[in-house]
């Protein structure tokens, strides 16, 4: 009597994937969070050119501007002299951090062989003021060296003495070899990619399964012969395809519009997509947990944010983990997104292969095991 | 005499303290429209969902098309069509795409437009489920139960909340389904509906079947017992008035 062909779970699963993919394309939140958000960030940061450092300084009005040193400083390109300001105004701006230093050049008693130069800085501009000091110090050294050379010609005896001593004078020269330019986009794009994968995995999965359960779509599916695990696989597959298309688009835009470095071309892009897929699978586990523990629709965002926000801030999405104090770095070094971002950057910029990423993949995999263990416990079908 | 297509024996479903189904026994014959009647909370939906393999039973035996619900739930699912009392459909996709989805879920290729035409929703192919009226939603629900050309269709309160016209449309649809050889099991708490539609009904109260026969026999039995309506019935009732005034055609409200 039973002549019906064998039931294919795979076929049923693909039907779910297709419906889910269609639904996602038409759902504003999937498109906005998965694609638009990362693109906006990449645009914003893509246009920031790393450029040269500019240091805003002012010359104290009682300075002596006839000396060589002043001329030398004036011709140093990084120093931007702000003109026509009273001393009070200068001090005020320095305190507010809008000036990096006030420079005072003095030759108190005319004819003195030493030109006195003073750099006044404030805590308001700590990083840059240090650079001003070193730039001015450089100029002073160059000046002194020049004088010394002139002097040595007229004093051969003193030179001989110096040559024979064990403590010769030192002169600094610098050189540069051509290197790979690390652009802002090379840092920002992998971070944004990682974060879009995280939020799509957590938010997308949590919302979809919560609402399919709540609106009894799942119950209707249960009345058909598909197995429950294939429902999950079908949903996961469509999200994977959707997010990988989005990731490919992000990488392509970065490459063609902002010069994002793909060190080995297509292979690098493909490796990045593979990493994105691994990351997404792990992050979807968080989504399953969230969909299981959320009591109603409005509790999903706060719970999902607990998962995503710390990683957004601490996993090297916008700035390197290295800038954090040690205790914060310790937290960063536990979060899975840190390792995904790290792996993505290593692949894109250093051309690392998967075998060189075993430490990163190991941590991500460990998270996967832990989170799916929890997902199995917390996930609810009804 | 048609064969039994569903057999339910001593079915019991207990939740913590509540006994929702309390030892129900009945069978459904192939090709009939069988009604489960009873007030809300009588155990109709629970009974139905156990037969549909969506709910675990506490004890008893159920066979559907010769398959046991314990051993072959997936064989049963392939042979039945299920309309749930409350069910949702996948968000953001239109009716045609919904049917495509179910076609995949049942591994049954279908002409989606033909299916929609069958339930009078041909012009709604590109609409979303949530945009449909109450009657259209129910017709679409019934449509999804027909995809796998089932031997039995289960309809759980399909007409609740519908206006008289939509109710009649659905009755016609249900009769069409039966006329094509499909067995129909339906729950309702509208007695007029059961009287017109069902070949046999079981009246359920507090988890037990208190009567089981054709509507005609049940009515005759009551009349034979000396029952009389307190008021002489007129040749028409208010619903007839309403329908003759507003028309009986399918309307898409």
């Amino acid at each position: 009597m039973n002549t019906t062909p064998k039931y294919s779970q795979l076929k049923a699963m693909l039907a779910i994937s297709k419906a889910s993919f269609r639904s996602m394309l038409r759902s504003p939140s999937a498109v906005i969070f998965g694609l638009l958000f990362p693109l906006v960030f990449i645009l914003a940061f893509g246009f920031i050119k790393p450029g040269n450092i500019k240091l805003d300084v002012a010359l104290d009005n009682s300075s002596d501007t006839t000396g060589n040193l002043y001329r030398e400083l004036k011709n140093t390109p990084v120093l931007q002299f702000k003109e026509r300001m009273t001393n009070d105004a200068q001090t005020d701006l320095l305190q507010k951090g809008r000036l990096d230093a006030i420079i005072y050049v003095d030759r108190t008693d005319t004819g003195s062989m030493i030109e006195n130069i003073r750099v006044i800085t404030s805590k308001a501009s700590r990083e840059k003021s240090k650079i001003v000091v070193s730039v001015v110090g450089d100029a002073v050294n160059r000046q002194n060296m020049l004088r010394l050379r002139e002097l040595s010609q007229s004093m051969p005896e003193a030179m001989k003495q110096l040559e024979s001593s064990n403590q010769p004078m030192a002169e600094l020269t610098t050189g540069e070899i051509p290197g790979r330019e690390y652009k802002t986009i090379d840092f920002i794009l992998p971070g944004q990619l990682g974060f879009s994968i995280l939020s799509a995995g957590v938010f997308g999965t949590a919302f979809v399964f919560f609402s399919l359960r709540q609106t009894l779509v799942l119950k209707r599916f249960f009345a058909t012969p598909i197995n429950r695990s294939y429902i999950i696989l079908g949903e996961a597959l469509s999200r994977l395809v959707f997010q990988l298309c989005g990731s490919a688009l992000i990488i392509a835009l970065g490459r063609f519009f902002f010069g994002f470095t793909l060190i080995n071309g297509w292979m690098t892009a493909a490796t990045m997509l593979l990493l994105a897929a691994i990351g997404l699978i792990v992050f979807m586990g968080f989504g399953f947990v969230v969909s299981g523990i959320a009591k109603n629709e409005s509790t999903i965002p706060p719970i999902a944010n607990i998962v995503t926000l710390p990683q957004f801030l601490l996993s090297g999405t916008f700035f390197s983990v290295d800038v954090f104090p040690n205790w914060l770095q310790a937290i960063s070094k536990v979060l899975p997104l840190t390792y995904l971002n790290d792996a993505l950057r290593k692949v894109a910029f250093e051309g690392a292969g998967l075998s060189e990423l075993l430490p990163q993949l190991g941590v991500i995999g460990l998270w996967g095991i832990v989170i799916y263990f929890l997902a199995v416990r917390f996930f609810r079908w009804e | 005499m048609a064969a039994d297509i569903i057999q339910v024996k001593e079915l019991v479903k207990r939740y913590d303290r509540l006994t929702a189904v309390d030892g129900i026994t009945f069978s459904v014959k192939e090709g009939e429209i069988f009604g489960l009647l009873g007030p809300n909370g009588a155990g109709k939906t629970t009974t139905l969902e156990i037969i549909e393999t969506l709910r675990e039973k506490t004890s008893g035996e159920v066979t559907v098309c010769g398959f046991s619900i314990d051993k072959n739930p997936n064989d049963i699912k392939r042979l039945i069509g299920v309309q749930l009392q409350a069910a949702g459909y996948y968000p953001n996709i239109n009716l045609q795409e919904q049917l495509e989805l179910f076609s995949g879920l049942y591994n049954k290729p279908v002409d989606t437009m033909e299916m929609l035409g069958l339930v009078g929703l041909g012009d709604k192919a590109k609409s979303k489920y949530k945009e449909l009226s109450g009657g259209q939603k129910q017709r679409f629900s019934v449509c999804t139960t027909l995809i796998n050309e089932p031997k039995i269709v289960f309809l759980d309160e399909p007409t609740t909340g519908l206006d008289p016209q939509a109710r009649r449309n659905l009755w016609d649809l249900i009769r069409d389904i039966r006329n094509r050889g499909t067995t129909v099991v339906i729950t309702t708490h509208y007695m007029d509906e059961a009287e017109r539609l069902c070949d046999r009904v079981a009246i359920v109260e507090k988890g037990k079947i208190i009567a089981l026969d054709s509507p005609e026999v049940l009515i005759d039995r009551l009349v034979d017992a000396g029952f009389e309506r307190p008021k002489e019935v007129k040749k028409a009732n208010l619903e007839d008035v309403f329908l003759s005034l507003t028309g009986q055609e399918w309307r898409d409200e």
Side-chain angles (χ1 to χ4, degrees), chain A residues 305-334:
Chain A
N305 273 320
I306 290 173
V307 177
T308 55
L309 260 183
Q311 308 207 56
F312 186 57
L313 297 171
L314 298 178
S315 290
T317 302
F318 288 111
F319 23 77
S320 169
V321 172
D322 301 334
V323 303
F324 295 129
N326 283 334
W327 62 272
L328 258 185
Q329 284 194 30
I331 299 176
S332 297
K333 280 179 183 148
V334 175

Side-chain angles (χ1 to χ4, degrees), chain A residues 7-294:
Chain A
Y7 182 80
S8 157
Q9 292 286 347
L10 207 64
K11 221 185 244 179
M13 180 196 88
L14 289 176
I16 289 189
S17 297
K18 191 173 172 189
S20 161
F21 192 77
R22 277 175 168 157
S23 175
M24 245 186 280
L25 281 180
R26 293 173 202 163
S27 129
S29 70
V31 176
I32 289 172
F33 284 105
L35 271 181
L36 227 55
F37 255 44
L39 281 180
V40 166
F41 278 120
I42 286 168
L43 277 176
F45 284 93
F47 284 121
I48 297 175
K49 290 271 173 276
N52 294 321
I53 301 170
K54 295 276 179 232
L55 302 165
D56 292 323
V57 296
L59 189 72
D60 187 286
N61 287 312
S62 52
S63 289
D64 177 355
T65 55
T66 58
N68 283 336
L69 195 55
Y70 171 66
R71 231 172 299 133
E72 167 103 31
L73 289 177
K74 197 73 175 149
N75 292 330
T76 307
V78 285
L79 295 181
Q80 303 272 303
F81 277 89
K82 301 283 162 194
E83 314 279 352
R84 279 190 281 276
M85 256 193 286
T86 64
N87 284 356
D88 284 347
Q90 289 174 356
T91 311
D92 183 47
L93 288 184
L94 183 64
Q95 278 169 347
K96 286 176 181 160
R98 286 165 59 191
L99 268 185
D100 300 313
I102 301 173
I103 296 173
Y104 175 69
V105 187
D106 175 33
R107 218 166 162 180
T108 328
D109 37 343
T110 322
S112 158
M113 59 174 284
I114 300 210
E115 209 171 10
N116 180 13
I117 181 152
R118 201 161 60 220
V119 178
I120 300 175
T121 61
S122 98
K123 278 187 177 166
S125 153
R126 186 174 283 169
E127 295 297 318
K128 282 188 166 180
S129 62
K130 279 183 192 144
I131 308 177
V132 178
V133 172
S134 106
V135 166
V136 174
D138 266 2
V140 170
N141 275 338
R142 272 200 306 278
Q143 186 83 358
N144 288 348
M145 207 53 155
L146 218 63
R147 288 288 89 74
L148 206 69
R149 289 233 165 87
E150 286 166 14
L151 216 58
S152 67
Q153 266 148 26
S154 55
M155 294 174 70
E157 285 303 310
M159 277 316 282
K160 285 224 177 73
Q161 219 177 326
L162 208 55
E163 274 165 29
S164 60
S165 89
N166 281 333
Q167 287 166 309
M169 298 200 343
E171 186 179 11
L172 172 76
T173 53
T174 62
E176 194 180 65
I177 58 162
R180 210 176 290 146
E181 191 195 348
Y182 192 66
K183 303 184 216 80
T184 318
I185 187 80
D186 290 326
F187 185 83
I188 284 298
L189 191 141
Q192 284 306 314
L193 195 59
F195 185 69
S196 83
I197 302 271
L198 172 72
S199 49
V202 178
F203 277 91
T205 309
F207 270 117
V208 163
F209 277 95
F210 186 87
S211 84
L212 291 185
R213 184 177 75 215
Q214 214 64 10
T215 58
L216 300 176
V217 174
L218 286 181
K219 190 173 180 186
R220 183 65 186 85
F221 285 175
F222 296 159
T224 75
I226 191 170
N227 284 344
R228 294 182 173 197
S229 48
Y230 282 91
I231 298 177
I232 290 189
L233 286 176
E235 281 292 338
L237 179 69
S238 73
R239 190 155 298 275
L240 205 61
V241 172
F242 182 82
Q243 219 51 43
L244 289 187
C245 289
S247 303
L249 190 66
I250 289 171
I251 294 173
L253 283 174
R255 169 73 187 81
F256 294 114
F257 290 96
F258 299 105
F260 176 65
T261 309
L262 288 172
I263 202 73
N264 297 324
W266 285 112
M267 264 316 289
T268 302
T271 315
M272 287 180 80
L273 290 181
L274 183 65
L275 286 175
I278 294 170
L280 187 65
I281 290 168
V282 172
F283 294 142
M284 280 195 293
F286 287 93
F288 289 128
V289 174
V290 174
S291 85
I293 57 180

